[in-house]
């Protein structure tokens, strides 16, 4: 899942971005409304977190412009203004949810996840299973044949992405766009290195991650 954060306060932005990354999201962040509008208009995000008070283009105007342009990305509006009128204005501008500062990250995360569930009309599973591998999204534990496997954050994110697309080939570019939060040269070998690390941990016996030469990778039950 890829999230856009538009927040000019560096401390708050770091708090939100790091929290989302630690929970497996790829995150793009910008500090001004104009650049936020450009990113949201040209990139397929699963959700956006937008502050109200932004330089160059305020958050409410940003959301209004996106809706006028037909961009339907779910948006959570962040604001220090907590009155009913302020909340109403945020929702009327096209926001899908409204969170007031200060806030607990756990609440923001829950709201992001809820928005994504509503946007996809699907309930978010708490556990993924492919063959004899299980991945728990809440405890972030991975096991194969009941034996726990410790994964680093990006290894976990890669396995989750492959499991969500089990049986379907995913290209290196697709993996780059979903696991990393900025653009890499498509010729870079960071994907190969990450896949190799994941294989060393989960593919010691029966092979689960298969290479489709010249295309990408596919996860199939062993």
């Amino acid at each position: 899942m890829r999230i856009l954060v538009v927040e000019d306060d560096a401390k708050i932005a770091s708090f939100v971005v790091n929290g989302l990354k630690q929970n497996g999201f790829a995150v793009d962040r910008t500090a001004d409304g104009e650049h936020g509008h450009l990113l949201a208009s040209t990139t397929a995000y699963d959700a956006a977190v937008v502050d109200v008070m932004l330089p160059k283009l305020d958050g409410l105007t940003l959301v209004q412009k996106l809706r006028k342009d037909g961009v339907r990305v779910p948006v959570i509006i962040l604001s220090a203004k907590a009155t009913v009128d302020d909340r109403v204005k945020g929702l009327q501008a096209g926001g899908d949810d409204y969170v007031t500062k200060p806030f607990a990250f756990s609440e923001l995360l829950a709201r992001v996840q809820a928005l994504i569930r509503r946007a996809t009309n699907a309930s978010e599973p708490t556990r993924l299973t492919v063959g004899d591998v299980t991945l728990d999204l809440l405890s972030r534990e991975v096991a194969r044949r009941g034996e726990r496997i410790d994964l680093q954050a990006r290894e976990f994110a890669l396995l989750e992405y492959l499991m969500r697309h089990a049986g379907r080939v995913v290209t290196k570019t697709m993996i780059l766009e979903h696991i990393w939060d900025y653009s890499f040269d498509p010729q870079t070998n960071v994907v190969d290195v990450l896949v190799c690390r994941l294989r060393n941990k989960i593919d010691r016996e029966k092979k689960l991650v298969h290479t489709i030469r010249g295309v990408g990778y596919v996860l199939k039950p062993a």
Side-chain angles (χ1 to χ4, degrees), residues 51-94:
D51 185 34
V52 171
M53 301 299 292
L54 294 169
K56 298 185 179 180
L57 184 70
D58 69 86
L60 297 188
T61 302
L62 186 162
V63 176
Q64 288 173 331
K65 290 183 67 174
L66 289 176
R67 299 308 184 224
K68 185 178 180 180
D69 294 340
V71 178
R72 305 313 306 170
V73 58
V75 175
I76 293 179
I77 294 174
L78 292 182
S79 177
K81 300 179 180 180
T83 68
V84 172
D85 285 344
D86 290 317
R87 290 173 182 267
V88 169
K89 288 178 182 178
L91 298 175
Q92 288 180 335

Tab-separated table of all heavy atoms in Angstrom, residues 51-94:
chain	number	residue	atom	x	y	z
A	51	ASP	N	-2.486	17.874	5.604
A	51	ASP	CA	-2.641	18.932	6.601
A	51	ASP	C	-3.433	20.087	5.996
A	51	ASP	O	-3.430	20.288	4.773
A	51	ASP	CB	-1.261	19.408	7.046
A	51	ASP	CG	-1.335	20.429	8.169
A	51	ASP	OD1	-2.252	20.314	9.002
A	51	ASP	OD2	-0.488	21.337	8.208
A	52	VAL	N	-4.105	20.851	6.836
A	52	VAL	CA	-4.899	21.982	6.342
A	52	VAL	C	-4.015	23.183	6.035
A	52	VAL	O	-4.094	23.770	4.947
A	52	VAL	CB	-5.987	22.372	7.363
A	52	VAL	CG1	-6.653	23.687	6.948
A	52	VAL	CG2	-7.033	21.273	7.462
A	53	MET	N	-3.154	23.553	6.973
A	53	MET	CA	-2.339	24.744	6.808
A	53	MET	C	-1.040	24.389	6.088
A	53	MET	O	-0.096	23.899	6.695
A	53	MET	CB	-2.032	25.373	8.165
A	53	MET	CG	-3.274	25.764	8.949
A	53	MET	SD	-4.285	27.001	8.075
A	53	MET	CE	-3.185	28.412	8.164
A	54	LEU	N	-1.017	24.631	4.771
A	54	LEU	CA	0.143	24.302	3.947
A	54	LEU	C	0.590	25.510	3.141
A	54	LEU	O	-0.241	26.345	2.767
A	54	LEU	CB	-0.210	23.180	2.962
A	54	LEU	CG	-0.540	21.801	3.534
A	54	LEU	CD1	-1.127	20.920	2.447
A	54	LEU	CD2	0.707	21.159	4.133
A	55	PRO	N	1.881	25.627	2.862
A	55	PRO	CA	2.350	26.709	1.992
A	55	PRO	C	1.948	26.440	0.536
A	55	PRO	O	1.735	25.303	0.138
A	55	PRO	CB	3.872	26.656	2.157
A	55	PRO	CG	4.167	25.257	2.584
A	55	PRO	CD	2.990	24.815	3.402
A	56	LYS	N	1.833	27.514	-0.234
A	56	LYS	CA	1.537	27.505	-1.675
A	56	LYS	C	0.096	27.131	-2.008
A	56	LYS	O	-0.526	27.768	-2.865
A	56	LYS	CB	2.511	26.599	-2.425
A	56	LYS	CG	3.966	27.045	-2.334
A	56	LYS	CD	4.864	26.191	-3.198
A	56	LYS	CE	6.308	26.669	-3.104
A	56	LYS	NZ	7.227	25.846	-3.942
A	57	LEU	N	-0.436	26.111	-1.349
A	57	LEU	CA	-1.819	25.701	-1.592
A	57	LEU	C	-2.328	25.019	-0.329
A	57	LEU	O	-1.753	24.018	0.110
A	57	LEU	CB	-1.888	24.735	-2.783
A	57	LEU	CG	-3.283	24.291	-3.228
A	57	LEU	CD1	-4.025	25.462	-3.875
A	57	LEU	CD2	-3.177	23.135	-4.229
A	58	ASP	N	-3.378	25.575	0.289
A	58	ASP	CA	-3.847	24.997	1.548
A	58	ASP	C	-4.494	23.630	1.316
A	58	ASP	O	-4.906	23.286	0.201
A	58	ASP	CB	-4.824	25.941	2.246
A	58	ASP	CG	-6.145	26.054	1.507
A	58	ASP	OD1	-7.025	25.210	1.737
A	58	ASP	OD2	-6.273	26.976	0.678
A	59	GLY	N	-4.578	22.851	2.382
A	59	GLY	CA	-5.045	21.484	2.269
A	59	GLY	C	-6.453	21.335	1.741
A	59	GLY	O	-6.734	20.441	0.933
A	60	LEU	N	-7.386	22.197	2.182
A	60	LEU	CA	-8.765	22.072	1.725
A	60	LEU	C	-8.878	22.366	0.232
A	60	LEU	O	-9.593	21.671	-0.504
A	60	LEU	CB	-9.678	23.004	2.528
A	60	LEU	CG	-9.786	22.726	4.032
A	60	LEU	CD1	-10.871	23.591	4.657
A	60	LEU	CD2	-10.065	21.251	4.296
A	61	THR	N	-8.161	23.389	-0.220
A	61	THR	CA	-8.173	23.709	-1.652
A	61	THR	C	-7.543	22.582	-2.453
A	61	THR	O	-8.016	22.239	-3.543
A	61	THR	CB	-7.415	25.020	-1.921
A	61	THR	OG1	-8.030	26.071	-1.159
A	61	THR	CG2	-7.478	25.385	-3.394
A	62	LEU	N	-6.471	21.987	-1.917
A	62	LEU	CA	-5.825	20.851	-2.576
A	62	LEU	C	-6.842	19.730	-2.796
A	62	LEU	O	-6.950	19.178	-3.902
A	62	LEU	CB	-4.665	20.361	-1.706
A	62	LEU	CG	-3.742	19.257	-2.243
A	62	LEU	CD1	-2.445	19.240	-1.444
A	62	LEU	CD2	-4.374	17.878	-2.175
A	63	VAL	N	-7.571	19.380	-1.736
A	63	VAL	CA	-8.543	18.283	-1.839
A	63	VAL	C	-9.664	18.646	-2.811
A	63	VAL	O	-10.094	17.813	-3.627
A	63	VAL	CB	-9.117	17.941	-0.446
A	63	VAL	CG1	-10.205	16.874	-0.571
A	63	VAL	CG2	-8.006	17.439	0.474
A	64	GLN	N	-10.134	19.889	-2.754
A	64	GLN	CA	-11.183	20.325	-3.676
A	64	GLN	C	-10.745	20.188	-5.126
A	64	GLN	O	-11.512	19.734	-5.986
A	64	GLN	CB	-11.573	21.781	-3.374
A	64	GLN	CG	-12.355	21.951	-2.081
A	64	GLN	CD	-12.580	23.414	-1.735
A	64	GLN	OE1	-11.771	24.284	-2.087
A	64	GLN	NE2	-13.659	23.701	-1.033
A	65	LYS	N	-9.501	20.575	-5.406
A	65	LYS	CA	-8.980	20.479	-6.764
A	65	LYS	C	-8.868	19.023	-7.207
A	65	LYS	O	-9.173	18.684	-8.358
A	65	LYS	CB	-7.618	21.171	-6.866
A	65	LYS	CG	-7.667	22.684	-6.743
A	65	LYS	CD	-6.301	23.324	-6.914
A	65	LYS	CE	-5.770	23.150	-8.327
A	65	LYS	NZ	-4.507	23.892	-8.546
A	66	LEU	N	-8.444	18.166	-6.313
A	66	LEU	CA	-8.349	16.744	-6.653
A	66	LEU	C	-9.719	16.176	-7.005
A	66	LEU	O	-9.877	15.448	-7.993
A	66	LEU	CB	-7.746	15.955	-5.482
A	66	LEU	CG	-6.265	16.173	-5.188
A	66	LEU	CD1	-5.857	15.384	-3.946
A	66	LEU	CD2	-5.403	15.764	-6.380
A	67	ARG	N	-10.706	16.507	-6.209
A	67	ARG	CA	-12.060	15.998	-6.468
A	67	ARG	C	-12.610	16.556	-7.782
A	67	ARG	O	-13.254	15.835	-8.555
A	67	ARG	CB	-12.991	16.347	-5.306
A	67	ARG	CG	-12.588	15.753	-3.961
A	67	ARG	CD	-12.360	14.259	-4.031
A	67	ARG	NE	-12.075	13.673	-2.722
A	67	ARG	CZ	-11.150	12.794	-2.497
A	67	ARG	NH1	-10.356	12.395	-3.486
A	67	ARG	NH2	-10.963	12.274	-1.302
A	68	LYS	N	-12.315	17.824	-8.041
A	68	LYS	CA	-12.763	18.428	-9.296
A	68	LYS	C	-12.110	17.755	-10.492
A	68	LYS	O	-12.729	17.607	-11.560
A	68	LYS	CB	-12.430	19.928	-9.300
A	68	LYS	CG	-12.959	20.676	-10.523
A	68	LYS	CD	-12.641	22.152	-10.429
A	68	LYS	CE	-13.161	22.898	-11.657
A	68	LYS	NZ	-12.850	24.358	-11.575
A	69	ASP	N	-10.864	17.305	-10.306
A	69	ASP	CA	-10.126	16.633	-11.377
A	69	ASP	C	-10.478	15.153	-11.494
A	69	ASP	O	-9.931	14.451	-12.341
A	69	ASP	CB	-8.620	16.773	-11.139
A	69	ASP	CG	-8.140	18.217	-11.238
A	69	ASP	OD1	-8.865	19.033	-11.847
A	69	ASP	OD2	-7.058	18.517	-10.696
A	70	GLY	N	-11.345	14.684	-10.603
A	70	GLY	CA	-11.746	13.285	-10.658
A	70	GLY	C	-10.837	12.320	-9.921
A	70	GLY	O	-10.954	11.103	-10.085
A	71	VAL	N	-9.919	12.838	-9.102
A	71	VAL	CA	-9.022	11.979	-8.326
A	71	VAL	C	-9.753	11.555	-7.056
A	71	VAL	O	-10.114	12.386	-6.226
A	71	VAL	CB	-7.716	12.719	-7.963
A	71	VAL	CG1	-6.809	11.822	-7.116
A	71	VAL	CG2	-6.995	13.171	-9.221
A	72	ARG	N	-9.961	10.240	-6.909
A	72	ARG	CA	-10.804	9.738	-5.819
A	72	ARG	C	-10.001	9.134	-4.662
A	72	ARG	O	-10.565	8.424	-3.831
A	72	ARG	CB	-11.757	8.662	-6.356
A	72	ARG	CG	-12.624	9.092	-7.518
A	72	ARG	CD	-13.286	10.442	-7.313
A	72	ARG	NE	-14.050	10.522	-6.071
A	72	ARG	CZ	-14.548	11.645	-5.586
A	72	ARG	NH1	-14.330	12.796	-6.201
A	72	ARG	NH2	-15.247	11.613	-4.470
A	73	VAL	N	-8.703	9.391	-4.589
A	73	VAL	CA	-7.904	8.829	-3.507
A	73	VAL	C	-8.527	9.195	-2.157
A	73	VAL	O	-8.900	10.349	-1.923
A	73	VAL	CB	-6.447	9.349	-3.579
A	73	VAL	CG1	-6.393	10.868	-3.508
A	73	VAL	CG2	-5.616	8.741	-2.474
A	74	PRO	N	-8.700	8.250	-1.245
A	74	PRO	CA	-9.236	8.549	0.080
A	74	PRO	C	-8.305	9.507	0.835
A	74	PRO	O	-7.093	9.307	0.836
A	74	PRO	CB	-9.294	7.179	0.764
A	74	PRO	CG	-9.310	6.189	-0.350
A	74	PRO	CD	-8.471	6.797	-1.432
A	75	VAL	N	-8.877	10.538	1.452
A	75	VAL	CA	-8.069	11.565	2.111
A	75	VAL	C	-8.467	11.730	3.573
A	75	VAL	O	-9.654	11.874	3.894
A	75	VAL	CB	-8.226	12.929	1.400
A	75	VAL	CG1	-7.482	14.024	2.170
A	75	VAL	CG2	-7.721	12.853	-0.031
A	76	ILE	N	-7.446	11.706	4.424
A	76	ILE	CA	-7.625	12.078	5.829
A	76	ILE	C	-7.063	13.476	6.001
A	76	ILE	O	-5.904	13.731	5.654
A	76	ILE	CB	-6.898	11.108	6.772
A	76	ILE	CG1	-7.537	9.724	6.717
A	76	ILE	CG2	-6.925	11.638	8.210
A	76	ILE	CD1	-6.858	8.706	7.607
A	77	ILE	N	-7.863	14.380	6.522
A	77	ILE	CA	-7.428	15.760	6.742
A	77	ILE	C	-6.911	15.901	8.170
A	77	ILE	O	-7.570	15.482	9.131
A	77	ILE	CB	-8.583	16.740	6.487
A	77	ILE	CG1	-8.966	16.713	5.002
A	77	ILE	CG2	-8.210	18.157	6.926
A	77	ILE	CD1	-10.179	17.543	4.664
A	78	LEU	N	-5.711	16.475	8.309
A	78	LEU	CA	-5.139	16.768	9.618
A	78	LEU	C	-5.297	18.253	9.911
A	78	LEU	O	-5.045	19.083	9.042
A	78	LEU	CB	-3.646	16.416	9.650
A	78	LEU	CG	-3.227	14.954	9.569
A	78	LEU	CD1	-1.707	14.855	9.671
A	78	LEU	CD2	-3.884	14.135	10.664
A	79	SER	N	-5.707	18.572	11.122
A	79	SER	CA	-5.869	19.984	11.464
A	79	SER	C	-5.822	20.186	12.968
A	79	SER	O	-6.228	19.317	13.745
A	79	SER	CB	-7.201	20.511	10.926
A	79	SER	OG	-7.397	21.864	11.311
A	80	ALA	N	-5.316	21.368	13.366
A	80	ALA	CA	-5.336	21.739	14.776
A	80	ALA	C	-6.706	22.307	15.155
A	80	ALA	O	-7.000	22.496	16.332
A	80	ALA	CB	-4.246	22.769	15.063
A	81	LYS	N	-7.546	22.573	14.146
A	81	LYS	CA	-8.880	23.118	14.380
A	81	LYS	C	-9.860	21.995	14.661
A	81	LYS	O	-10.010	21.088	13.845
A	81	LYS	CB	-9.335	23.931	13.168
A	81	LYS	CG	-8.425	25.114	12.848
A	81	LYS	CD	-8.906	25.855	11.623
A	81	LYS	CE	-8.003	27.042	11.306
A	81	LYS	NZ	-8.464	27.780	10.091
A	82	ALA	N	-10.520	22.074	15.820
A	82	ALA	CA	-11.334	20.940	16.261
A	82	ALA	C	-12.823	21.239	16.364
A	82	ALA	O	-13.595	20.400	16.842
A	82	ALA	CB	-10.826	20.446	17.609
A	83	THR	N	-13.278	22.403	15.911
A	83	THR	CA	-14.695	22.724	16.036
A	83	THR	C	-15.510	21.920	15.026
A	83	THR	O	-14.987	21.417	14.016
A	83	THR	CB	-14.961	24.218	15.789
A	83	THR	OG1	-14.720	24.529	14.411
A	83	THR	CG2	-14.076	25.078	16.677
A	84	VAL	N	-16.807	21.822	15.302
A	84	VAL	CA	-17.699	21.100	14.392
A	84	VAL	C	-17.688	21.750	13.014
A	84	VAL	O	-17.657	21.057	11.985
A	84	VAL	CB	-19.135	21.069	14.963
A	84	VAL	CG1	-20.099	20.488	13.930
A	84	VAL	CG2	-19.181	20.249	16.246
A	85	ASP	N	-17.691	23.092	12.969
A	85	ASP	CA	-17.683	23.798	11.689
A	85	ASP	C	-16.440	23.457	10.873
A	85	ASP	O	-16.520	23.280	9.648
A	85	ASP	CB	-17.753	25.311	11.906
A	85	ASP	CG	-19.148	25.773	12.318
A	85	ASP	OD1	-20.097	24.989	12.139
A	85	ASP	OD2	-19.269	26.913	12.803
A	86	ASP	N	-15.304	23.375	11.543
A	86	ASP	CA	-14.060	23.038	10.841
A	86	ASP	C	-14.122	21.620	10.277
A	86	ASP	O	-13.685	21.366	9.143
A	86	ASP	CB	-12.861	23.174	11.784
A	86	ASP	CG	-12.567	24.614	12.141
A	86	ASP	OD1	-12.608	25.466	11.236
A	86	ASP	OD2	-12.299	24.891	13.319
A	87	ARG	N	-14.664	20.698	11.051
A	87	ARG	CA	-14.788	19.316	10.578
A	87	ARG	C	-15.714	19.252	9.364
A	87	ARG	O	-15.427	18.551	8.380
A	87	ARG	CB	-15.336	18.423	11.694
A	87	ARG	CG	-14.366	18.199	12.838
A	87	ARG	CD	-15.056	17.439	13.970
A	87	ARG	NE	-14.170	17.238	15.104
A	87	ARG	CZ	-13.417	16.164	15.288
A	87	ARG	NH1	-13.436	15.193	14.392
A	87	ARG	NH2	-12.636	16.050	16.344
A	88	VAL	N	-16.811	19.982	9.463
A	88	VAL	CA	-17.778	19.995	8.357
A	88	VAL	C	-17.130	20.548	7.092
A	88	VAL	O	-17.303	20.002	5.994
A	88	VAL	CB	-19.031	20.817	8.736
A	88	VAL	CG1	-19.908	21.052	7.508
A	88	VAL	CG2	-19.825	20.091	9.809
A	89	LYS	N	-16.370	21.630	7.230
A	89	LYS	CA	-15.697	22.221	6.068
A	89	LYS	C	-14.726	21.225	5.436
A	89	LYS	O	-14.631	21.132	4.213
A	89	LYS	CB	-14.938	23.490	6.484
A	89	LYS	CG	-15.825	24.677	6.795
A	89	LYS	CD	-14.990	25.880	7.236
A	89	LYS	CE	-15.877	27.063	7.602
A	89	LYS	NZ	-15.062	28.221	8.086
A	90	GLY	N	-14.013	20.495	6.283
A	90	GLY	CA	-13.067	19.516	5.768
A	90	GLY	C	-13.746	18.414	4.986
A	90	GLY	O	-13.292	18.019	3.906
A	91	LEU	N	-14.859	17.921	5.498
A	91	LEU	CA	-15.587	16.857	4.811
A	91	LEU	C	-16.282	17.381	3.556
A	91	LEU	O	-16.325	16.695	2.527
A	91	LEU	CB	-16.600	16.217	5.765
A	91	LEU	CG	-15.990	15.537	7.000
A	91	LEU	CD1	-17.079	15.038	7.938
A	91	LEU	CD2	-15.087	14.375	6.587
A	92	GLN	N	-16.804	18.596	3.633
A	92	GLN	CA	-17.455	19.183	2.458
A	92	GLN	C	-16.462	19.479	1.344
A	92	GLN	O	-16.822	19.482	0.160
A	92	GLN	CB	-18.201	20.458	2.853
A	92	GLN	CG	-19.461	20.205	3.669
A	92	GLN	CD	-20.178	21.485	4.058
A	92	GLN	OE1	-19.555	22.564	4.136
A	92	GLN	NE2	-21.471	21.388	4.329
A	93	ALA	N	-15.203	19.708	1.694
A	93	ALA	CA	-14.176	19.967	0.686
A	93	ALA	C	-13.812	18.707	-0.084
A	93	ALA	O	-13.167	18.787	-1.134
A	93	ALA	CB	-12.926	20.541	1.349
A	94	GLY	N	-14.233	17.564	0.456
A	94	GLY	CA	-13.936	16.312	-0.227
A	94	GLY	C	-13.130	15.345	0.598
A	94	GLY	O	-12.765	14.267	0.114
